[in-house]
Amino acid sequence: MTVYLDHAATTPMLPESIEAYARAMALVGNPSSIHSQGQQARRMLEEARERVAATLGCDAIEVVFTSGGTESINLAVKGLYWARNRAQPGVSRPRILAPGGEHHATLDTVTWLEQSEGAAAEWLPLDELGRIRLDALESALEREPASIALLTLLWANNEVGTIQPVERIAALAAGRGVPMHVDAVAAYGHVGIDVRQLRAASGPGAAGLVALSVSAHKIGGPVGIGALVLSRQASVVPLLHGGGQQRQVRSGTQDVAAAVAFAVAAEAAEAAREAETARLAALRDRLVAGVLRAVPEARLSGVGDGGADAASARLAMNAHFTFPGAQGDSLLFLLDAAGVSVSTGSACQAGVPEPSHVLLAMGRSERDARSALRMTLGRTTTDSDVDAFLAALPQAYARASRAGLSERTTRLGAR
């Protein structure tokens, strides 16, 4: 049986979420229809919205259901950029602030805005642990704040698991009148998210935290649905037009069954979060210790185990290593052949492997960035799964080391 250690990519649907999904799918009714069946669908949809909102510490009206994290991020980043640049005729706000090492849903969106809309991206440096350099952020915010369209950042890095000081960053953005979007896709279900509390720390209004993205399939819900938490005070230009079903921000018939299944998964994840965090942290620590015993030259990326702030500074389910002299893709394939599913955590566009842009943003070498492997644990992970991975690793590493880092991959990865 395959051991699955790639929960950050997607995690198995919860049985209760599947059951709720199937029941809701058996019912007919467009939630925008005014007949009784349509209104029944509307009630189910709005109840699901309220339940998801409760897990995020926001009001139900602020939850805009989307097709997933990528759409939520695109709607927030593009929508805020367009709205900010239309707010006052003749006033240009071209600057978008974002840390290096963001998810490609953000990287590619900002790059598109640069190429197509004249945006000016400012990629803020990370330190060696993957934390945003607050001094660089403050400097960027202080320099002509009126020219900044928005600040966007990951709550927790999807590759190395580093958690950012979101509350402090939100206060900095609010102090300069800059709206902030947080990509919380990797953090949702693993850290406590309370939008109201974050806003209270930064002050009310259209600056500071105004938008936050999440996705259902990362927490045991279905693929194909996510949400953007959007402040009432925030103005965004929609990506989709035609009906304006959700606050004129997103058009399209809403997927009631997916929303219901999302709500069930969200409540289950939040109810189990503290206990599951402790369980996964213990498993993760055992996995990290086992890797370092088996491959002493391996290097843990991001915030290390132990230390006073380790629990709050790294996702409990994440272990990310570089393995000197071995290619991450080679390790992945060899482990897969041994029945263990892991991830390199690096981008792979059009079938061409690339070095981890996250590690590069953290100041690591390209050689390191091509030797990365990410193990992420979840609800179904057991001690025996960790044991199976640790048993398969030494031989996989020995074979990958013999193969080394091929020149061809080096050239392709450098493009």
Side-chain angles (χ1 to χ4, degrees):
M1 180 175 291
T2 299
V3 170
Y4 186 73
L5 299 180
D6 195 20
H7 289 265
T10 194
T11 200
M13 277 188 74
L14 290 162
E16 56 265 43
S17 184
I18 295 173
E19 184 181 348
Y21 201 12
R23 284 200 311 269
M25 287 178 70
L27 302 174
V28 66
N30 186 319
S32 295
S33 298
I34 60 175
H35 51 61
S36 59
Q37 286 174 301
Q39 291 309 295
Q40 179 187 16
R42 167 66 69 177
R43 283 192 296 273
M44 293 170 61
L45 176 68
E46 296 309 323
E47 287 173 3
R49 199 186 310 275
E50 290 173 2
R51 294 163 68 186
V52 171
T55 68
L56 293 164
C58 66
D59 296 335
I61 195 172
E62 297 178 301
V63 174
V64 178
F65 285 126
T66 67
S67 62
T70 295
E71 185 193 337
S72 296
I73 292 163
N74 272 259
L75 175 56
V77 174
K78 291 177 180 174
L80 284 168
Y81 179 83
W82 288 329
R84 291 273 286 169
N85 279 282
R86 296 182 187 183
Q88 294 176 266
V91 176
S92 176
R93 295 184 174 93
R95 297 168 63 203
I96 301 175
L97 307 184
E102 292 292 289
H103 189 279
H104 269 280
T106 295
L107 289 173
D108 294 354
T109 298
V110 173
T111 299
W112 183 88
L113 286 170
E114 280 189 294
Q115 296 171 348
S116 303
E117 303 289 301
E122 296 183 23
W123 301 106
L124 304 170
L126 302 178
D127 69 13
E128 70 280 3
L129 300 179
R131 300 173 301 198
I132 186 171
R133 287 268 307 277
L134 293 179
D135 57 342
L137 172 61
E138 290 185 77
S139 177
L141 287 169
E142 289 169 0
R143 189 174 67 256
E144 299 183 49
S147 67
I148 302 172
L150 70 143
L151 163 66
T152 181
L153 72 151
L154 281 162
W155 189 313
N157 189 275
N158 56 292
E159 284 196 23
V160 302
T162 299
I163 298 171
Q164 303 294 348
V166 173
E167 184 172 317
R168 184 173 177 188
I169 294 169
L172 290 173
R176 291 295 174 178
V178 174
M180 181 176 88
H181 162 253
V182 174
D183 171 358
V185 172
Y188 192 31
H190 302 287
V191 303
I193 297 177
D194 190 326
V195 171
R196 292 190 194 91
Q197 181 177 320
L198 282 169
R199 287 190 187 136
S202 59
L209 179 66
V210 300
L212 181 140
S213 298
V214 294
S215 185
H217 76 102
K218 306 291 188 177
I219 59 168
V223 172
I225 186 166
L228 177 66
V229 178
L230 186 66
S231 165
R232 289 183 176 87
Q233 285 76 38
S235 176
V236 298
V237 175
L239 300 177
L240 305 174
H241 299 85
Q245 283 88 342
Q246 297 188 77
R247 293 171 52 192
Q248 301 298 318
V249 168
R250 186 183 191 269
S251 297
T253 301
Q254 297 173 79
D255 189 338
V256 175
V260 170
F262 183 4
V264 170
E267 289 178 334
E270 180 59 22
R273 179 173 54 80
E274 291 188 6
E276 188 67 353
T277 294
R279 186 184 77 87
L280 292 179
L283 276 176
R284 188 272 319 276
D285 290 351
R286 196 162 73 80
L287 183 150
V288 167
V291 169
L292 295 176
R293 282 195 302 271
V295 185
E297 56 268 48
R299 178 179 175 185
L300 182 67
S301 308
V303 179
D305 295 353
D309 64 346
S312 62
R314 184 193 189 100
L315 293 177
M317 43 81 82
N318 176 288
H320 187 282
F321 283 92
T322 53
F323 292 87
Q327 191 169 298
D329 288 333
S330 297
L331 279 168
L332 185 153
F333 292 131
L334 290 165
L335 287 167
D336 188 48
V340 181
S341 297
V342 297
S343 170
T344 58
S346 62
C348 188
Q349 298 178 346
V352 178
E354 295 182 349
S356 166
H357 68 284
V358 175
L359 291 183
L360 293 175
M362 292 163 57
R364 304 284 291 276
S365 69
E366 184 174 321
R367 195 172 185 86
D368 276 351
R370 288 186 290 110
S371 67
L373 207 64
R374 181 188 72 180
M375 286 63 66
T376 48
L377 318 181
R379 172 181 54 85
T380 60
T381 306
T382 64
D383 284 303
S384 61
D385 292 332
V386 172
D387 291 339
F389 165 71
L390 294 175
L393 178 63
Q395 184 178 2
Y397 178 63
R399 292 181 62 186
S401 296
R402 287 196 295 272
L405 298 168
S406 70
E407 290 185 13
R408 179 176 182 272
T409 303
T410 301
R411 290 196 298 271
L412 288 173
R415 289 182 182 176

